Amino acid sequence: MLLNKLLDDHDHISLIARLSNVQHRWHKETLLFQLNELQWQKGQTILLSGDNGAGKSTLMRLMAGLEPLQQGFIQFPVLQKDRFSLPWRTQKPQRGQCCYLHQSPYLFAGTVLNNLLFVIKSLPKNKRELAIQRLPTGLELAGLTALQHQPANTLSGGERQRIAALRAWLLQPKVLLLDEPTANLDQDSIHLITALVVDLIQQNSAVMISSHQHTSLTDCCNAHWMIKEGTVYAANSTTGTTKLTALQTSNVNKLSAVVSQPHQMDVAL
Ligand SMILES: Nc1ncnc2c1ncn2[C@@H]1O[C@H](COP(=O)(O)OP(=O)(O)OP(=O)(O)O)[C@@H](O)[C@H]1O
């Protein structure tokens, strides 16, 4: 009993997430992937890699509670203490605090600003005012100030991704899962998104990024999970296929220099 409590307390201090015995099949016979045990430690920014169709999006959606878990369990010790009291939230503590950013983000009808205000309205009342105050800084960081009154449905792919990243920045989730956020983006857009994500990491958001490219954003990662031949595992530096740069203080400082003012919902952005 005491040992279990000590282990629980230890998990709460050191772990973002623990995944155990997870398997996923879309069709009854075909196994997409399985994993035995993976731990996401506090302080880790994880790169999730794998071939097209390996199951990166599926794994992230399972973690965000957006797909039903078929087998095993996924726990977020970091979220347990802060869970909301509503029954549908206590069943899935990651809801409201774990934000999944889709590779093709959904934007609402209306302007860029409308899209951002919609997200701010979803925050608990006591967090809305601060989010409103941070909005001009966020627009600047995302390079969207000049576009704020433009209808969202007229934006380019890169601009859409930047809005999605900015929505996540405004929400400041405990856990942020970024699904190929820089696919087909130019260097400027990648750097703008990187600045937003670096700021979130500095504000203690735990971030996982799936990507096929090596960019300034993946340079933020200091841990690597891979999906290969139907197995998800944590790659060490010798087995990883992607060169990882540790989350160097200097790297973060360099990127956060552009952050002039560092200052929830069931989220799929
Ligand atoms: N809702 C669904 N129903 C059935 N099959 C699905 C569903 N969603 C995804 N799949 C299949 O699961 C497999 C994994 O898809 P997923 O999008 O997770 O891969 P991915 O690693 O993110 O790929 P990519 O790098 O191309 O984005 C694919 O073969 C896909 O067709």
Side-chain angles (χ1 to χ4, degrees):
M1 195 79 164
L2 180 63
L3 180 62
N4 282 346
K5 182 167 177 349
L6 285 172
L7 287 173
D8 281 354
D9 288 349
H10 177 264
D11 281 0
H12 183 74
I13 293 164
S14 64
L15 282 189
I16 302 297
R18 176 194 284 125
L19 292 73
S20 291
N21 297 319
V22 175
Q23 290 193 0
H24 195 83
R25 297 165 200 271
W26 284 119
H27 310 290
K28 280 189 179 148
E29 301 81 35
T30 324
L31 180 71
L32 178 61
F33 58 69
Q34 62 90 33
L35 64 87
N36 294 330
E37 171 88 13
L38 278 174
Q39 294 191 352
W40 182 351
Q41 306 283 345
K42 281 190 183 169
Q44 287 186 328
T45 302
I46 297 178
L47 171 68
L48 176 63
S49 69
D51 293 340
N52 288 131
K56 301 179 296 299
S57 305
T58 306
L59 179 62
M60 284 186 163
R61 292 178 57 78
L62 287 172
M63 292 177 73
L66 299 170
E67 291 290 345
L69 198 57
Q70 298 169 352
Q71 184 175 316
F73 63 83
I74 297 177
Q75 292 173 320
F76 282 88
V78 73
L79 303 182
Q80 308 280 326
K81 270 203 170 160
D82 296 316
R83 67 189 175 194
F84 296 79
S85 55
L86 296 171
W88 64 272
R89 286 199 194 275
T90 51
Q91 280 162 19
K92 286 194 175 174
Q94 70 266 49
R95 289 193 165 175
Q97 303 177 83
C98 176
C99 170
Y100 169 76
L101 198 146
H102 198 275
Q103 10 183 305
S104 313
Y106 178 78
L107 300 184
F108 306 105
T111 64
V112 169
L113 207 50
N114 292 146
N115 271 270
L116 299 170
L117 292 174
F118 183 87
V119 160
I120 290 174
K121 273 189 206 153
S122 76
L123 285 167
K125 272 188 185 158
N126 60 350
K127 295 194 172 171
R128 287 182 203 160
E129 198 175 279
L130 180 61
I132 291 281
Q133 285 168 14
R134 294 170 73 233
L135 186 55
T137 306
L139 284 163
E140 242 356 89
L141 277 176
L144 292 169
T145 306
L147 299 178
Q148 59 185 299
H149 300 297
Q150 191 165 316
N153 62 7
T154 62
L155 297 180
S156 72
E159 290 159 352
R160 294 170 73 88
Q161 282 292 5
R162 272 145 53 197
I163 293 190
L166 178 52
R167 292 195 299 204
W169 184 84
L170 288 166
L171 287 171
Q172 290 189 293
K174 285 262 168 71
V175 180
L176 176 60
L177 307 171
L178 297 168
D179 196 351
E180 299 195 41
T182 57
N184 304 315
L185 299 196
D186 64 22
Q187 287 303 317
D188 280 352
S189 285
I190 292 174
H191 279 112
L192 292 167
I193 288 178
T194 303
L196 290 166
V197 172
V198 165
D199 189 51
L200 280 175
I201 293 170
Q202 289 183 324
Q203 307 297 320
N204 284 329
S205 290
V207 177
M208 179 180 286
I209 301 162
S210 81
S211 180
H212 292 283
Q213 311 157 275
H214 178 199
T215 64
S216 58
L217 184 61
T218 58
D219 275 348
C220 295
C221 298
N222 59 3
H224 186 184
W225 289 6
M226 296 176 75
I227 308 182
K228 203 167 179 188
E229 292 164 3
T231 300
V232 191
Y233 59 93
N236 61 37
S237 52
T238 51
T239 55
T241 52
T242 306
K243 181 175 169 289
L244 281 183
T245 308
L247 185 59
Q248 310 268 358
T249 314
S250 60
N251 195 19
V252 174
N253 286 345
K254 193 170 65 194
L255 289 159
S256 63
V258 284
V259 181
S260 55
Q261 220 187 36
H263 85 79
Q264 287 177 337
M265 61 190 191
D266 188 7
V267 201
L269 297 176

